């Protein structure tokens, strides 16, 4: 998406399962230090913003995709401003 942001699409995935995947990503990243070139380990955390919609993947318009990505980005900003290393979900994205 830009900078250090990336997008993961999970079509056909229920909100509960998608939330579990996101929470697991946070835990795994937090538990796996990244080694610098000199061997120094640093801890890394991630913040996740999720937007969930019931619109079938094949019927989503370009405008819809832009809107839902925007909603996920706003959720991401809430995760970052809320202390980081957390998941924020926007439910019922149109």
């Amino acid at each position: 998406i830009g900078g250090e942001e990336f997008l993961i699409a999970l079509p056909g995935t229920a909100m509960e399962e998608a939330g579990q995947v996101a929470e697991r990503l946070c835990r795994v990243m937090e538990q796996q230090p990244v080694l610098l070139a000199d061997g120094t380990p640093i801890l890394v955390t991630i913040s996740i913003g999720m937007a969930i919609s019931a619109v079938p993947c094949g019927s989503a318009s370009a405008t819809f995709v832009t809107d839902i990505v925007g909603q996920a980005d706003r959720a991401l900003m809430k995760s970052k401003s809320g202390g980081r290393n957390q998941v924020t979900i926007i439910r019922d994205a149109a």
Side-chain angles (χ1 to χ4, degrees):
I1 298 297
E4 74 286 352
E5 296 178 2
F6 61 93
L7 181 137
I8 299 173
L10 300 171
T13 305
M15 182 175 57
E16 183 177 329
E17 184 180 2
Q20 290 170 353
V21 169
E23 293 289 345
R24 189 172 73 234
L25 282 170
C26 283
R27 284 192 314 274
V28 167
M29 290 301 297
E30 184 178 37
Q31 295 170 357
Q32 297 293 319
V34 173
L35 295 179
L36 300 179
D38 67 0
T40 303
I42 60 169
L43 296 178
V44 176
T45 61
I46 61 173
S47 299
I48 297 176
M50 288 178 41
I52 306 292
S53 174
V55 173
C57 293
S59 66
S61 68
T63 301
F64 171 80
V65 172
T66 300
D67 289 347
I68 198 164
V69 170
Q71 291 172 348
D73 193 49
R74 284 188 292 284
L76 172 61
M77 294 305 119
K78 286 184 180 183
S79 285
K80 287 181 174 183
S81 66
R84 301 182 182 239
N85 200 35
Q86 60 183 291
V87 178
T88 300
I89 303 171
I90 292 180
R91 303 169 201 281
D92 302 318

